[in-house]
Amino acid sequence: MILLWPILVPAIAGLAVLLIPGRAKYLREAVTLIASTWVMGLAFRLFPLNETLKLPWAGYGIEFALRLDSFSAFILLGAAFFGLMIALYSTAFMLGKERGNQFYSYLLLSVALVNGAVLANNLVVMLFFWEGLLLAMFGLIRLGSPEAIKTATKAFIIIGISDLCLMLGIGLTGYLAKTLTMSAISIPLSPLATVAFVCLMIGAIAKAGAMPFHSWIPDAALDAPLPFMAILPASLEKLLGIYFLGRISLQLYQLVPQSWLSYLMMIVGALTILFAVMMALVQKDYKRLLAYHAVSQVGYMILGIGTCVPAGIVGGLFHMINNALYKSCLFLTGGAVEKQAGTTDLAKLGGLGWAMPLTFGAFCVAAASICGVPPFNGFFSKELVYDAALERGWIFYLAAVGGSFFTAASFLKLGHAAFWGKKRVGVAEAPWPMLVPMLLIAAVCIVFGLMNHWPLHRLVQPVLGHARLEGQDFAGLPRNLFLIVMTVVVLAGAYLNHLFGVKKFGSGLKAVDHIHYAPGLKQIYDGAEKRWYDPYDLGLKLADLVARTGYFIDRMIDWFYETLAPGLALLSSRVIRWAHGGNYAVYIVWILVGGSFVLFLAFR
Amino acid sequence: MSLLLILVPLACLVVLNLHFKQGFIKGAFWLGLLVILAQLAVVALLPTGLWDMRFNPLECFFHFDASVDAISLVVILAVGLVALATLLCAEHLIKEPKKKFYFVNLLMLVLIGLNGLALAKDLFTMYLFIEIAAIASFILIAFRKDPLGLEGAFKYLLFSALSSVLMLTALSLVILFAGGTSFAAVGPAVAASAGTWPARLALALFVCGALIKSGVVPFHGWLPDVYTAAPTYASVLLAGIITKVSGVYVLIRLFVSVFGFDSRIDAAVMFLGAASILIGALAALTQQNLKRLLAYSSISQVGYIILALGCGTPLAIAGAVFHFFNHAVFKSLLFVNAAAIEQQVETQEIDALGGLSARMPVTGFTSVIGFLSAAGIPPLAGFWSKLMIILALWQAGQSGYALFALLASVLTLAYFLSLQRRVFFGKLVPGLDGVREAGWGITTTAIILALITVGVGVCFPFVMQGLILPIKALVVLP
């Protein structure tokens, strides 16, 4: 029964927050913090356990089954940690913003739903919690601004469609395995299993935010309240999406490295890395840039898991938690900048490093982690992914490394444009409820890097189990020296590129303009600005076309029944009326005609 | 015994015109009413055994072979009903007692003619009674001696004359090859000489003559003008029964008992029936005069009967006779409503009417029943007869005609709904505030006819047993 607590506590707290009147100062923040802390405590307590819970639910094999194994415990811990950090951060960020009740409520609800989804042992139960996140996401985005409803709808539709694929995949999986209990499913690959896997994969990677399901994230970065960005796309959704991807790759389906599913995942991962980071490179808004990076980093995770070799899977999962850490930290710094400087437009920022030193420090740590600078955590997880990618094909390795190059370039640009330069007056450091989470998460980034044996041994490697690890242990420095050298070369190259750009164009913001306006790339970027490539917009245009065609056909049918048929009838009626003029002779002629007709037929 | 149906009205006619004429002027109505009710009672109550009793007081003078089969029974019933309706209408519409007296006399004459037509078993006898009924109707049309009525009477006279010419020519041809005109003589003669030109020509000419009398396209030119010109009580009689019996019944008799079904003539008849349905319905859509609209509607409904007749199967003939009866009832009902409007509002122009059911609820309600029956809406009587016709067409393989008949119901519904909306529903036209419901005679008639329509429809199984199935047994296919 203890397994129900991580779900019930935040859910009830979330509902309770809705009931708190706005006048009760700080009461809702208190409730939120207490609930988050409690969940954190529960996560710690549950961590070493292995529990199951089974309650009857809907019949037909759909029972309310929960299970706590090492993977679930890992995600539970991560989700609780991020929930608490963001809750603390939000107390300062949402101060003075209206509809705070709803915000905290949705926040707690998201934590409850994520907990339910990772604990679920029955596919339908998991689907129930998974889809529930759609509502929390929609609600949270909508709170950002009055115009945010369009982005909220867009996110809802994109994730909703991928959730439909997920539903289809779950249906097929249940059919193939003849059961819906996740711990009992293990399906070998076959044509139908491949289709089911692809459907499930679409659901998982869309939640995590990979291409082509990503287009709502940059829009939400501008429209939604910032803590939403930090908690959902950056951390919780990645945790959930990659968790499920891991589950289906490792447990539910017996994936082998040679299968074309593996290649599919690797290609999707590689393309996501590259395209997203190219888009991130040219952004001129702090939050949008970070949003595109969030998309890009998912590519590493998918690539890692897709390699189906132990190094890759470990790397992918480790990257998942690392990314959640540094990405949320980066978003939190963005929020601090937004709150203190009043804008996130990079052209208007500058010199914040002197005014907000602690924020700048957290930013530096997180940026270094995301670029893969040793000895931070990003370096280690990326090295594992490089290792696996190289093992599966040099082209994947090239894509991953290229992504790192552009990542570094864009963060150099971001840091330079926002924090470097003359000291800015009138801007103070962020308040402590915002600083504490940032610094704490940055500290964890450092710890996960320097002491990476702890997360790897306690969190990630237990997921694979001894059999799959094939006896390898990935803690400590990477063994392949070639990879380390390549990484350093790439980072140095990025730094030099940045210096070149600054010298050529004069400011940190324009440091990558030589890439932006390069001959082939310029047209592509212009098209992206005009939203030519957004699948959502294209889908909307198609739906509009179908609707117009249907309307036109309906008009035609209406015209036939309302104009043509009655018109013809009335016209003939008037003609007949005119013909019956009362003239005897005319009538007698008619009789003659009729008579001839009868006689003709009689004697034919 | 069936001869009484002719002799009793004749006796009444004689009695009315005896020396004590003065006294009978006031009582003429009641005497006429008595005769008609007696006819209805006889049809409804007397067991069939009594029909076959030979009773001819004038046997020594002439031999009249009269017998009643199932079709004749339906005709006599219809004649009685419509005559009743006419009498009750005329009671209120004709003001002078002397005119009422003349009217009853003419009505008796019509009864003689139509009953005789129903009982006749000889072609020439049929022609004779057609003429008797026609003469009475000429006078009835011109009853008010108004220019329109006189012109209408003349038109009817002319076209009846045309029809008579055709029928007499056919009769002479029949005598040529059959040696006599009774059904018993002609039937075998036709069968023996099947395919030869005298028989076919005789049939064709007789059919043309009958078609003129029934008002089938393209022989129908006189019908709208005459129905409109006649006073409404005469229109009830004309539309309800005279046209039907002297035209349609004659055709039915020809096909069933005399000449049999010739496939070529049948094809022509079906085509003309379908054309009547279409043209009648289309013309009715934009009519401005109430009676003219009802006249075109009659053309359309007669088209259904003729269509079924041309089909020729037992079910089709049964459907045709049933529709004949139903049409007599609902068309009379609609004309009675027109009479009510004419009496109260004194106009027949639809444009001048509107929202009448607020002031004339009975008329409005019964007209709804009348037109629903005409359009073939369950559970009214018209639905069953139309259903039988369409089913018979389908079963006979004439699916095109069956679908056409089905779709034409849409047109029927269209013009009737339009009529109903323009005349009865909607807002009351300002000038009609003082209008009140029509007199007791007309409303009673309307209610009775409406009840019959509804009753026949609802109690269809009994009607089926009693009236329709015997008709089917009569029809013997070649």
Side-chain angles (χ1 to χ4, degrees), chain A residues 2 30 44 68 75 131 149 177 241 289 392 406 520:
Chain A
I2 194 174
F44 269 118
L68 182 69
I75 306 290
E131 301 250 5
I149 189 108
L289 192 147
R392 289 304 307 278
F406 288 114

Side-chain angles (χ1 to χ4, degrees), chain A residues 573 577 580 587 590 601-602 604, chain B residues 200 218 220-221 225 282 286 296:
Chain A
S573 177
R577 213 175 127 202
H580 285 70
Y587 294 161
W590 289 351
L601 275 185
R604 203 153 54 96
Chain B
R200 255 197 265 149
H220 70 289
D225 303 336
L282 281 177
T286 53
Y296 280 111

